[in-house]
Amino acid sequence: MKQTIFILAIIVLVGAALWYAKGVSLKSQEQSAAVAASVLETNESSYDFGEISMANGVVSREFKIKNPSENPVKIESIYTSCMCTNATLILNSRKYGPYGMPGHGFVPKVRQTLAAGEESMLLVEFDPAAHGPAGVGPIMRIVTIESSDGARIDLEISALVKP
């Protein structure tokens, strides 16, 4: 009898622990999703340069960044996934950057604010010759924009690099 009560108590405790852990896990997933969603919008989240040649040099693309909210949004940082790519924020005709890959030179904080409804441009440049002759083939790079509330947007560029 005591053994049965003991086993039932263990089952109840394990069940309660699993139920509690599931609730905590769901809350952290909801919080992560809330932080991950940015209030900033972009006209496109990816761009494919198609086939490009190392011999032709740097290619670039401008992405429009907009704050559609009724509150200002502070852009804290902009960084790239590779040293062959850099990004420059163009806000009110002023240029901030270029911003590159962390760990490969100094990447300063942006700390610029987009007012409610304001738009800016992000100039993304890719140097297909940066990796030398071994850098041919398909590439995919990411440019990340993080705001002061921890939200972020990722912009992707891709290309097929030829000699």
Side-chain angles (χ1 to χ4, degrees):
M1 179 78 167
K2 286 184 180 183
Q3 220 175 17
T4 304
I5 292 173
F6 179 73
I7 291 173
L8 285 174
I10 289 177
I11 291 172
V12 169
L13 287 174
V14 167
L18 290 174
W19 178 77
Y20 176 76
K22 182 179 179 184
V24 169
S25 175
L26 288 174
K27 283 183 185 177
S28 67
Q29 287 175 358
E30 289 169 2
Q31 289 169 346
S32 294
V35 168
S38 177
V39 70
L40 296 175
E41 291 180 351
T42 182
N43 60 330
E44 59 188 339
S45 60
S46 65
Y47 182 76
D48 185 353
F49 288 104
E51 192 173 295
I52 60 175
S53 170
M54 284 182 179
N56 292 339
V58 174
V59 294
S60 63
R61 179 70 176 179
E62 286 187 342
F63 292 86
K64 186 187 309 180
I65 307 298
K66 182 177 181 177
N67 173 9
S69 75
E70 296 178 7
N71 300 310
V73 173
K74 187 174 186 179
I75 297 175
E76 281 293 323
S77 61
I78 298 172
Y79 54 91
T80 67
S81 63
C82 187
M83 65 183 188
C84 61
T85 308
N86 66 54
T88 302
L89 179 67
I90 304 168
L91 178 61
N92 299 320
S93 301
R94 290 197 59 198
K95 293 183 177 183
Y96 302 92
Y99 303 99
M101 181 181 180
H104 290 273
F106 176 66
V107 181
K109 292 289 185 183
V110 179
R111 295 191 177 115
Q112 295 299 315
T113 301
L114 265 70
E118 188 172 28
E119 291 183 357
S120 66
M121 297 301 285
L122 188 71
L123 175 64
V124 176
E125 297 175 304
F126 168 69
D127 183 355
H131 295 287
V136 296
I139 63 96
M140 191 268 306
R141 303 292 184 259
I142 303 292
V143 177
T144 301
I145 304 168
E146 293 182 342
S147 55
S148 58
D149 62 359
R152 65 185 262 177
I153 55 175
D154 290 330
L155 305 173
E156 177 184 306
I157 60 166
S158 57
L160 177 59
V161 179
K162 298 284 186 167

